[in-house]
Amino acid sequence: MSIDGTSTALRAPAAGARTRSRAAEIARAVAWPAAAALAFAVLVAVTWSTWGDLAHDTGYDFVAAQRVADGQLAYQDFAYIYGPLGLAVLAGAFNYLSISIDTAIAVGLVMATAATVLTYALARQLTGQPGAALAATLAGTAALGTGNIGLVIPHSASASMAVVASLAALLAAAYYSRSGNRAHLLLSGLAAGMVLLTRPEFVAAIAVALGAWLGGRILLAGGAARRRAFVDAAICGGAALAVAAVAYGLILTKVSLDSLLHENLFPRDQLDAGGNAVLRGSAPMTAGSFAELAGRLLLYAAGAAALLVLASFIRRGSRAAMMAAGGAAGLALITLALRPEFVRGHLDLAYAWIPAGAAVAALALVWRARRSRGAWAAGDQIALLCVSFLAVLAAKTYAAFEPQPNPSFAQFASYALPFAAVFLVWLHAEALPRGDRTAAAVGLGWVAVLVVAGWVLVAHDARDESFRVSGPGGSMTASATQGPAYQQAIDRILAASRPGDPILLAPQMSALYTLTDRLDPVSDISLLPGMVGTAAKERAAIAAMHDVRIAVTDRRPLTEYGRGAFGTDFNRRVGAWLRSDFRRVTTIRGAMDGAPTLDVWQRSKP
């Protein structure tokens, strides 16, 4: 007997049971985050070194960051079309590590990991661990995408920084909604200020999301609570504006406001020469495009209703309903395994409705907030933050919202997938089920199908990138169709020039500057339509290339800009200069359909 009269034989099993219960509780707490982390880690291994696209914008920021690391000032010494945050981070890494593809990958992996972790944490504010894990894994497929739109080697470092900073701002605001701790509010404002240093579509989205949330808190509060809400808005908004004011204020000490806006961040010549065509392609603002979006929303709504009906039958114990659900999931997985491209081509049915769906959900949450009579639930506040952000961000690509993996036709919507993932799990696990656990399980089952599809497609895309393209600055991979042409171009450049020599790559292919350890002599880095858009700018570019001995040009027409090939349809003066002062020593043609056609030029005149 113990001193209190209790048998030690009885107390020992009770203590053991508590220990086992505690262990089981810990296991449950870490199981779902661990599963999401494992899925991310395996996908990193599967996609290793397959990120980026040698034919497109990949490498633009490599060149810009190298220039900053070498002491040049963006916006003053060279034109730069994005906000300064991503460039500053990459340039800092280049300065302290090395100017190489490996350094860019290291920075990108940090961004991809941060985006995935933040997606889990944000989704966890709205739903349980299973939904948060699914959201994080779906975000990971966007982060590790192998095309030109991903977070490891994105088309612009500003995009990966925008995703991470936006998730951080929303998460900190969500924490404040639950805790009331103004430290979280200040962090949200600081993160939002970081967003202001990235891209305009993210700036608009975070401004609307935080504005709607803070404004709602003011309108729904009364008395002292309203005064506190005004102070809250001042803290959050003031912190965001302070970050932006300091950063852009320093830039404006070196360049004029007109130059910063119209020659850099919103380059008029480039937009007029084709950039606006790209924007119109994904947001044409026509009655037909809006009608199609509405139709997609109605179609998805019918599917969501069918899921709820299926859940009601399963809840009643219907074996037929259970078999139907299992059979549908099995059929989807078999089709994915046998015909992945077929699945890719039809995933738009699962995503294209989201720009309209997020807008409708935001309006519904605003309506519910008005009816709350001041008792605005924290969950509803967080949901409004997330869906209003997504609605604004998705509006940029409302007619082409296809965030599923697609390396051959990468969509900007991929950057919105982390936010769409949070929306999907909230919608199917919380908003539509309204406490019905069976309906929530069925809804999460549907999201799980999308997660598996995205994961498998990214892995499939990585397998297709089997050709390693290498140079002194590192290695990247490309498909067996495209890779040999770029490797031949690199070999030609290495044979005809020395490290640090200026060369010309046009109109894009900027990653080859870093891979070959050569310099881009043109201020505008890329030579897309409008970047060197006037006769004076073309003459200045030609003058800057006086030491160039070798050039490689791509014959690919830029149909996405509504233009033809470099040197013939645009930048004709540069093209004429090449034909006059250089001789075409070879044309590199791939042996398979879809391979690039590259002309290699060497100077013939002194």
Side-chain angles (χ1 to χ4, degrees):
M1 297 288 289
S2 65
I3 194 169
D4 61 359
T6 305
S7 171
T8 55
L10 293 176
R11 293 182 63 187
R18 286 195 297 271
T19 301
R20 288 191 296 272
S21 175
R22 179 61 177 165
E25 183 181 340
I26 293 173
R28 286 192 297 271
V30 302
W32 284 105
L38 179 62
F40 180 82
V42 172
L43 198 57
V44 168
V46 169
T47 60
W48 188 264
S49 192
T50 63
W51 309 293
D53 185 343
L54 293 170
H56 291 92
D57 288 346
T58 297
Y60 177 90
D61 275 354
F62 299 172
V63 174
Q66 179 175 0
R67 291 180 176 183
V68 173
D70 289 341
Q72 296 187 41
L73 296 176
Y75 313 112
Q76 177 188 10
D77 296 327
F78 63 93
Y80 188 70
I81 61 176
Y82 305 115
L85 181 59
L87 175 59
V89 171
L90 186 57
F94 276 4
N95 187 54
Y96 287 103
L97 298 175
S98 65
I99 299 173
S100 66
I101 301 297
D102 288 344
T103 298
I105 289 175
V107 173
L109 283 174
V110 171
M111 294 296 104
T113 303
T116 304
V117 171
L118 289 169
T119 300
Y120 180 93
L122 183 59
R124 191 67 183 86
Q125 294 298 308
L126 292 171
T127 188
Q129 287 189 331
L134 289 174
T137 306
L138 191 54
T141 65
L144 300 172
T146 63
N148 198 39
I149 304 293
L151 299 188
V152 180
I153 298 185
H155 85 288
S156 163
S158 66
S160 55
M161 289 301 307
V163 171
V164 171
S166 297
L167 287 167
L170 295 174
L171 179 61
Y175 283 157
Y176 178 72
S177 295
R178 296 197 184 278
S179 70
N181 185 341
R182 279 181 168 163
H184 293 146
L185 190 66
L186 178 61
L187 288 174
S188 180
L190 293 174
M194 297 294 184
V195 178
L196 299 182
L197 308 181
T198 59
R199 306 177 62 84
E201 60 275 8
F202 281 89
V203 172
I206 200 65
V208 169
L210 292 178
W213 171 61
L214 293 168
R217 291 174 63 88
I218 291 172
L219 292 175
L220 294 174
R226 175 166 291 186
R227 287 192 295 273
R228 178 181 173 85
F230 271 114
V231 174
D232 290 347
I235 292 172
C236 186
L241 293 176
V243 171
V246 170
Y248 286 114
L250 290 173
I251 293 171
L252 289 173
T253 64
K254 302 296 183 180
V255 301
S256 68
L257 179 61
D258 182 74
S259 174
L260 177 63
L261 293 177
H262 300 131
E263 296 180 16
N264 289 279
L265 300 179
F266 304 97
R268 286 176 293 200
D269 291 339
Q270 185 190 357
L271 292 172
D272 293 341
N276 285 327
V278 176
L279 297 175
R280 286 193 298 269
S282 55
M285 304 299 288
T286 61
S289 65
F290 290 129
E292 182 178 358
L293 179 61
R296 290 182 178 275
L297 175 60
L298 292 175
L299 181 63
Y300 193 86
L307 289 177
L308 294 176
V309 171
L310 176 64
S312 69
F313 280 107
I314 292 176
R315 187 172 58 253
R316 297 169 191 168
S318 171
R319 292 186 177 181
M322 296 178 189
M323 292 177 62
L331 180 61
L333 294 177
I334 292 171
T335 305
L336 179 63
L338 298 178
R339 300 184 62 189
E341 293 306 321
F342 175 83
V343 174
R344 193 198 308 270
H346 289 81
L347 274 179
D348 61 316
L349 296 174
Y351 292 115
W353 63 278
I354 285 179
V360 170
L363 292 174
L365 286 165
V366 169
W367 177 259
R368 190 155 72 180
R370 289 184 60 193
R371 296 170 60 87
S372 68
R373 301 183 184 278
W376 195 13
D380 283 355
Q381 293 182 46
I382 298 168
L384 180 62
L385 278 164
C386 295
V387 298
S388 58
F389 180 94
L390 176 61
V392 176
L393 184 63
K396 180 183 178 180
T397 56
Y398 77 85
F401 194 81
E402 299 176 8
Q404 63 267 28
N406 191 346
S408 61
F409 189 61
Q411 292 281 358
F412 179 86
S414 293
Y415 293 132
L417 190 54
F419 309 96
V422 173
F423 174 52
L424 284 169
V425 297
W426 168 77
L427 180 70
H428 287 289
E430 305 295 333
L432 294 180
R434 302 182 68 179
D436 185 332
R437 296 179 64 181
T438 304
V442 171
L444 287 180
W446 160 241
V447 178
V449 170
L450 297 181
V451 170
V452 172
W455 200 99
V456 171
L457 286 173
V458 172
H460 171 74
D461 296 337
R463 187 183 61 182
D464 287 345
E465 298 221 356
S466 58
F467 192 95
R468 183 168 294 276
V469 180
S470 300
S475 298
M476 295 177 64
T477 58
S479 67
T481 300
Q482 295 188 338
Y486 294 115
Q487 187 62 59
Q488 289 182 56
I490 287 175
D491 293 341
R492 286 276 182 171
I493 292 168
L494 297 180
S497 61
R498 295 173 297 180
D501 280 354
I503 65 173
L504 173 64
L505 301 167
Q508 294 180 294
M509 302 182 291
S510 299
L512 270 61
Y513 287 115
T514 304
L515 284 170
T516 59
D517 191 22
R518 270 48 173 182
L519 299 180
D520 179 359
V522 181
S523 171
D524 290 270
I525 304 176
S526 174
L527 293 179
L528 287 171
M531 283 190 141
V532 183
T534 65
K537 287 185 176 181
E538 284 199 77
R539 286 193 291 269
I542 292 170
M545 292 188 287
H546 61 89
D547 287 334
V548 168
R549 313 304 300 176
I550 184 169
V552 180
T553 58
D554 190 344
R555 292 189 184 182
R556 177 176 60 91
L558 299 182
T559 53
E560 63 270 33
Y561 287 85
R563 305 301 295 267
F566 168 83
T568 55
D569 184 60
F570 64 96
N571 289 144
R572 294 176 181 174
R573 287 178 178 81
V574 176
W577 169 73
L578 280 172
R579 292 186 292 271
S580 170
D581 289 19
F582 289 68
R583 61 186 178 88
R584 184 165 48 210
V585 294
T586 189
T587 297
I588 301 171
R589 291 186 175 91
M592 293 179 280
D593 291 341
T597 299
L598 308 177
D599 290 317
V600 181
W601 308 78
Q602 283 189 295
R603 185 180 286 273
S604 57
K605 292 184 179 180

